[in-house]
Amino acid sequence: MRSFWKKHGLVMLGGICQGFGMGLFLFPQSIPSGGAGGIAVLLNYWFHINMGPALWLVNFSLMLIGVKYLGKRFTLWTFIGITMTSFSIDFFENHFSIPNRNVFYDLLIGSVFLGTGIGILMRNNVSNGGVGVVAVMISHYRDILPGKPLFIINSMIFLITAAIISWEIIFLALISQWISTTVVDMICRIEIPRSYSLSWRKKP
């Protein structure tokens, strides 16, 4: 029971970290937070859906892809994570603002918090939803860290999003992904004593 509540707290923390980075720093600068974020930007552009609900819709839809491969328990934890992230995005967007914004500071801070949130989730064998599900599937199948496949898939979606909306954000989005996925891999590599570890990959 203690391990359950510890994992629950870490999943909530991961979702809040993501929502903080996206809602307060990245989305106000129109920087997609990832592949799902890029699709959510398109939904916002085409249908004027708020970013929080749009991101939840994309994440939930893509999460269903992983149900059969990754199991119901993984899906349940991922659902909790993406829901917490979407609530956090709405909360930080609607209740906080930063005067005299600087796009490079927002890019750096938002990307670090984004990568921290994703890393916390993946250490606990939980996806951040969306293309993160696909990244976790690839990382399990090929026995590699999830940062690289996450970066490649997200970059492809960024190219499509930029071609439809604006090429101006593509470089910021790619830099954001490089920073955040680097942070993801750093967190996944951190060595924690076994008795306290909730590894992103199940132990044999």
Side-chain angles (χ1 to χ4, degrees):
M1 183 62 68
R2 178 182 295 180
S3 62
F4 169 85
W5 287 112
K6 184 174 183 178
K7 181 170 182 175
H8 185 272
L10 289 171
V11 170
M12 298 289 281
L13 176 63
I16 292 172
C17 285
Q18 285 190 93
F20 180 74
M22 290 185 280
L24 194 57
F25 298 100
L26 297 180
F27 286 162
Q29 297 285 4
S30 298
I31 302 173
S33 59
I39 299 173
V41 168
L42 289 175
L43 291 177
N44 177 266
Y45 178 78
W46 285 328
F47 305 110
H48 307 290
I49 303 175
N50 290 338
M51 288 301 299
L55 187 65
W56 186 90
L57 180 62
V58 174
N59 281 332
F60 180 77
S61 299
L62 294 176
M63 180 189 69
L64 296 179
I65 298 174
V67 173
K68 183 177 180 180
Y69 180 84
L70 298 169
K72 295 180 180 179
R73 180 175 296 181
F74 177 91
T75 303
L76 176 61
W77 283 114
T78 299
F79 177 80
I80 294 172
I82 65 174
T83 301
M84 191 68 236
T85 298
S86 294
F87 275 123
S88 298
I89 290 170
D90 272 345
F91 177 78
F92 289 115
E93 278 187 330
N94 294 325
H95 294 87
F96 293 88
S97 62
I98 299 177
N100 304 317
R101 307 191 72 102
N102 181 289
V103 64
F104 296 107
Y105 290 155
D106 285 351
L107 172 66
L108 176 60
I109 297 172
S111 299
V112 169
F113 274 98
L114 173 64
T116 299
I118 296 174
I120 291 172
L121 293 177
M122 288 188 171
R123 275 198 71 97
N124 289 276
N125 201 36
V126 177
S127 168
N128 63 314
V131 297
V133 172
V134 181
V136 168
M137 292 172 64
I138 294 173
S139 70
H140 281 211
Y141 179 74
R142 297 181 62 87
D143 194 26
I144 60 175
L145 291 170
K148 185 176 181 179
L150 189 64
F151 178 80
I152 294 173
I153 298 170
N154 285 341
S155 298
M156 293 173 62
I157 296 176
F158 291 153
L159 288 172
I160 297 172
T161 305
I164 293 173
I165 298 179
S166 172
W167 287 103
E168 296 177 0
I169 65 171
I170 186 63
F171 297 108
L172 295 176
L174 290 174
I175 293 171
S176 174
Q177 279 303 289
W178 180 79
I179 295 172
S180 62
T181 52
T182 299
V183 173
V184 168
D185 283 348
M186 288 175 60
I187 292 176
C188 287
R189 289 192 183 103
I190 293 174
E191 294 292 336
I192 299 176
R194 187 179 179 84
S195 60
Y196 297 97
S197 176
L198 286 171
S199 176
W200 71 275
R201 186 180 302 165
K202 291 182 179 179
K203 299 292 183 182

